[in-house]
Amino acid sequence: MIHSLFLINSSGDIFLEKHWKSVVSRSVCDYFFEAQERATEAENVPPVISTPHHYLLSVYRHKIFFVAVIQTEVPPLFVIEFLHRVVDTFQDYFGVCSEPVIKDNVVVVYEVLEEMLDNGFPLATESNILKELIKPPTILRTVVNTITGSTNVGDQLPTGQLSVVPWRRTGVKYTNNEAYFDVIEEIDAIIDKSGSTITAEIQGVIDACVKLTGMPDLTLSFMNPRLLDDVSFHPCVRFKRWESERILSFIPPDGNFRLLSYHVSAQKCCLGM
């Protein structure tokens, strides 16, 4: 699967590298640098670059290129999604994902990456599970670790890793049970001078913050679910029920997560209006 990961800043400097199976020479990034030079902007660098012996898959976020190195053909979106999970995890752990912050917390970064991949294959990618494995850095914990020589690695395996619901730990308890769902949409539309809509498209996501005791089983329905296209779900969603009934049924992770993303095409958007 993924052999190595390189983090490259906008100046073309490799400031962090992580290897899982075997050490891949930094020279493999020369092919990436050539593509970077040909691109007019950082966002235009091809996400998949083929080399004689490797494939380079990358995402560009927060002025950092996250470049994964693989040796065999795998679904590229699978690797790209994992890279986005890495970025989201860093942002959740440190508040921001930037080169200075990653360098300041390099030990935690390596510990998190070691847990996210096992021999190159994704293992733990849920933030709440990772935080049980690797404690988020704090000033007090950093001072204690420096004095005692201890690490942020947890003493016990997260309970969620042992269950059929790996994204949620067991024994969750809250005094106040609450769940919030934010529907965030971006509308691209062309409107004529009379105010009539010529065409319109919607890109939307549903972000959730769930703080419920125990192992809740939730159901969410839409007034007109057939408007939604290109729907991408969190792994907690039962896909078969969505296919048959167009109802979201899921056991949610604890805390913040993205439940789904979707697209509403121009034709359906105009019908909805």
Side-chain angles (χ1 to χ4, degrees):
M1 185 57 179
I2 298 177
H3 282 252
S4 302
L5 175 67
F6 294 94
L7 270 59
I8 305 173
N9 60 24
S10 54
S11 301
D13 299 322
I14 301 173
F15 65 91
L16 186 140
E17 59 184 278
K18 169 66 178 171
H19 307 279
W20 282 274
K21 290 190 174 183
S22 58
V23 177
V24 178
S25 173
R26 285 190 173 193
S27 60
V28 73
C29 294
D30 292 342
Y31 296 96
F32 177 82
F33 295 141
E34 291 175 4
Q36 188 180 11
E37 290 178 0
R38 291 193 297 267
T40 55
E41 297 181 0
E43 292 81 0
N44 295 333
V45 176
V48 181
I49 300 173
S50 177
T51 74
H53 303 290
H54 301 88
Y55 295 95
L56 307 180
L57 291 88
S58 64
V59 299
Y60 180 72
R61 291 180 60 182
H62 307 291
K63 299 182 180 179
I64 300 174
F65 288 100
F66 293 77
V67 183
V69 181
I70 60 176
Q71 288 186 337
T72 57
E73 288 191 18
V74 297
L77 290 179
F78 187 77
V79 180
I80 290 174
E81 174 63 21
F82 173 77
L83 293 177
H84 281 296
R85 288 289 185 96
V86 171
V87 180
D88 294 340
T89 300
F90 288 170
Q91 194 163 5
D92 191 25
Y93 259 76
F94 312 127
V96 294
C97 181
S98 64
E99 181 181 353
V101 171
I102 291 175
K103 287 181 176 179
D104 290 341
N105 297 277
V106 66
V107 174
V108 178
V109 167
Y110 276 114
E111 291 172 343
V112 169
L113 289 175
E114 191 66 33
E115 297 297 339
M116 294 187 75
L117 281 184
D118 179 26
N119 198 31
F121 290 88
L123 177 62
T125 58
E126 290 296 329
S127 182
N128 58 343
I129 297 297
L130 285 168
K131 286 180 178 179
E132 287 191 74
L133 288 164
I134 310 296
K135 303 300 181 184
T138 62
I139 296 177
L140 178 59
R141 188 172 290 125
T142 302
V143 173
V144 172
N145 291 347
T146 303
I147 296 174
T148 62
S150 57
T151 67
N152 292 333
V153 179
D155 297 329
Q156 298 179 350
L157 184 68
T159 52
Q161 291 293 85
L162 305 175
S163 70
V164 295
V165 189
W167 53 83
R168 185 177 181 86
R169 57 191 174 92
T170 59
V172 179
K173 294 182 179 180
Y174 287 102
T175 304
N176 297 319
N177 292 280
E178 53 190 11
Y180 299 98
F181 295 90
D182 294 325
V183 181
I184 304 170
E185 294 185 336
E186 295 181 359
I187 302 176
D188 296 325
I190 299 176
I191 301 175
D192 62 19
K193 60 182 180 181
S194 63
S196 301
T197 302
I198 299 175
T199 182
E201 292 185 347
I202 298 175
Q203 297 285 349
V205 298
I206 298 181
D207 289 335
C209 178
V210 178
K211 297 181 180 180
L212 299 175
T213 301
M215 197 70 68
D217 199 327
L218 306 183
T219 301
L220 183 65
S221 60
F222 299 92
M223 291 292 295
N224 193 353
R226 300 191 180 280
L227 290 176
L228 308 181
D229 293 325
D230 301 330
V231 184
S232 175
F233 299 105
H234 187 278
C236 69
V237 175
R238 298 182 178 95
F239 185 65
K240 287 186 178 180
R241 186 168 182 187
W242 169 261
E243 281 191 317
S244 60
E245 303 177 37
R246 284 296 187 266
I247 291 177
L248 290 180
S249 176
F250 56 97
I251 297 176
D254 182 42
N256 299 304
F257 67 101
R258 176 155 292 177
L259 182 61
L260 81 156
S261 60
Y262 59 88
H263 171 258
V264 180
S265 63
Q267 294 82 2
K268 292 181 179 180
C269 188
C270 291
L271 288 174
M273 292 180 178

